[in-house]
Amino acid sequence: MKLHKTILAATALTGAIASMSAFAQTKWDLASAYPPANFHTQNLTQFASDVDKATGGKLKITVHSNASLFKAPEIKRAVQTGGAQMGEILLVNFQNEWQLFGADGVPFLADSYDSSMKLYGAQKPMMDKKLGEQGMMLLYAVPWPPQGIYSKKPLASAADLKGSKWRAYSPATARIAELVGAQPVTVQAAELSQALATGVVESYMSSGSTGVDSKTYEHIKNWYDTQAWLPKNGVLINKKAFDALDKATQDAVLKAGRDAEARGWELSKKTNTESLEQLKKGGLVVHQPSPQLKADMKKVGETLLAEWLKNAGAEGQALVDAYRK
């Protein structure tokens, strides 16, 4: 009788453990460098909510915004090493590691949403291969709105930027500073507001969205709509963490990622229009660049493309050829 009870208890315990295992909740951290109100972050939050619903709460993803978990330059490495299961990075920030990460930061190579999507189509298979070798996968990518020039003083030509304290956040933006004679200062998104308030930054290239996030209009009154490039944020997953999920949960993550990508591109377009209106309301003047400024920046773009192709070699040329087909 005693043995029978012991067997029954053991069977019940095994069943309970199996049941717990079947409904075990997996928790992931998703590191982001941007504020909660930024459209990229809102998209991530919606993605996490979609995964939660689709898996019945089996996979919970916590979005850590505003560089609260890892600073922007640390996020890719954190995902690679498992410090975070997911992370969002600005791809151009990692051009020094692999030139093709910076393809969408080459000025005037892709200067509209349509051309940016075409470039992404050529770039993605190469990025999938590279990130796969690093133990990661690219879930989706979303562009920032087109980049313009913020400047404290009016700009008739690129020469007017000479000596200006220029925010550099990627190899390309640092090189632009050199080419126009500005003084590059490395400042990440989370630190931009303070840098503007203290006079560390007097000019920089970015989207209207960044200008709103950082309240640039409180310190700088000019923005030149050069539509230079549309750099993308890539959302990465640690491959081991993904492989550890069951098939149904993996499918839910992939579907939520596809939905987030489609939604993100539309959000970017909407944000572009709305952010420029907000900048104007804040007192910033949106200028169309003069013919001279346009010509100067086009020349900068040609120089950067030639340098990028030299550094990227055959792989880079293959990418540009595929994009321009």
Side-chain angles (χ1 to χ4, degrees):
M1 192 69 175
K2 223 173 183 183
L3 179 63
H4 180 63
K5 282 183 179 176
T6 304
I7 291 168
L8 278 175
T11 304
L13 182 61
T14 303
I17 290 169
S19 175
M20 282 171 67
S21 173
F23 295 99
Q25 190 181 81
T26 301
K27 294 184 178 180
W28 279 9
D29 290 312
L30 198 171
S32 163
Y34 304 98
N38 182 273
F39 79 95
H40 282 292
T41 313
Q42 290 176 343
N43 197 28
L44 289 175
T45 303
Q46 182 63 55
F47 159 77
S49 175
D50 289 349
V51 170
D52 187 12
K53 284 176 191 168
T55 63
K58 202 169 179 182
L59 176 59
K60 291 274 188 188
I61 300 172
T62 302
V63 177
H64 301 269
S65 61
N66 217 29
S68 57
L69 188 61
F70 294 100
K71 290 181 180 177
E74 301 167 352
I75 291 175
K76 181 175 177 288
R77 183 69 182 158
V79 176
Q80 192 172 352
T81 57
Q85 291 80 14
M86 292 186 70
E88 180 186 46
I89 64 168
L90 181 62
L91 293 167
V92 295
N93 277 356
F94 299 90
Q95 181 179 323
N96 283 345
E97 177 189 312
W98 184 57
Q99 287 295 310
L100 273 66
F101 283 137
D104 55 18
V106 178
F108 308 105
L109 177 62
D111 57 2
S112 69
Y113 282 101
D114 287 345
S115 58
S116 180
M117 177 58 86
K118 193 179 176 191
L119 179 61
Y120 178 41
Q123 195 182 13
K124 190 174 186 302
M126 297 178 173
M127 285 199 292
D128 284 341
K129 182 174 181 291
K130 185 67 174 179
L131 290 165
E133 290 167 359
Q134 297 178 339
M136 291 177 285
M137 53 188 280
L138 177 68
L139 181 64
Y140 71 87
V142 169
W144 287 88
Q147 309 288 287
I149 304 174
Y150 290 93
S151 176
K152 269 202 168 183
K153 61 180 183 180
L155 304 176
S157 69
D160 293 327
L161 285 163
K162 193 168 184 180
S164 175
K165 294 173 189 170
W166 173 277
R167 178 205 171 202
Y169 61 85
S170 67
T173 51
R175 181 66 177 130
I176 291 168
E178 290 175 21
L179 291 170
V180 301
Q183 180 186 333
V185 184
T186 301
V187 176
Q188 297 304 326
E191 299 148 3
L192 182 53
S193 296
Q194 188 180 357
L196 288 163
T198 54
V200 170
V201 168
E202 297 170 329
S203 60
Y204 69 100
M205 283 189 91
S206 196
S207 65
S209 176
T210 300
V212 171
D213 285 346
S214 59
K215 296 185 178 176
T216 293
Y217 48 78
E218 292 182 355
H219 312 284
I220 286 177
K221 298 301 179 187
N222 301 290
W223 189 73
Y224 292 83
D225 191 10
T226 54
Q227 300 207 14
W229 68 90
L230 291 80
K232 294 186 292 291
N233 277 6
V235 176
L236 312 180
I237 301 181
N238 177 282
K239 193 70 170 61
K240 279 184 183 174
F242 182 79
D243 289 344
L245 301 173
D246 62 64
K247 179 71 166 56
T249 305
Q250 287 181 349
D251 289 344
V253 170
L254 294 175
K255 184 186 182 303
R258 288 192 297 272
D259 292 345
E261 184 166 87
R263 181 175 59 241
W265 282 72
E266 290 308 310
L267 276 171
S268 181
K269 293 173 188 176
K270 184 170 177 256
T271 299
N272 186 40
T273 303
E274 291 177 351
S275 60
L276 294 187
E277 288 306 314
Q278 284 179 267
L279 290 174
K280 287 175 189 175
K281 281 180 187 172
L284 188 140
V285 180
V286 175
H287 305 272
Q288 287 305 310
S290 69
Q292 186 60 56
L293 182 57
K294 264 187 181 177
D296 290 345
M297 296 314 291
K298 188 170 185 285
K299 194 175 174 186
V300 166
E302 288 166 358
T303 301
L304 261 76
L305 177 58
E307 291 175 352
W308 184 83
L309 283 169
K310 185 180 176 184
N311 291 328
E315 200 174 29
Q317 190 62 60
L319 170 60
V320 172
D321 290 346
Y323 161 63
R324 286 180 167 165
K325 267 185 185 174

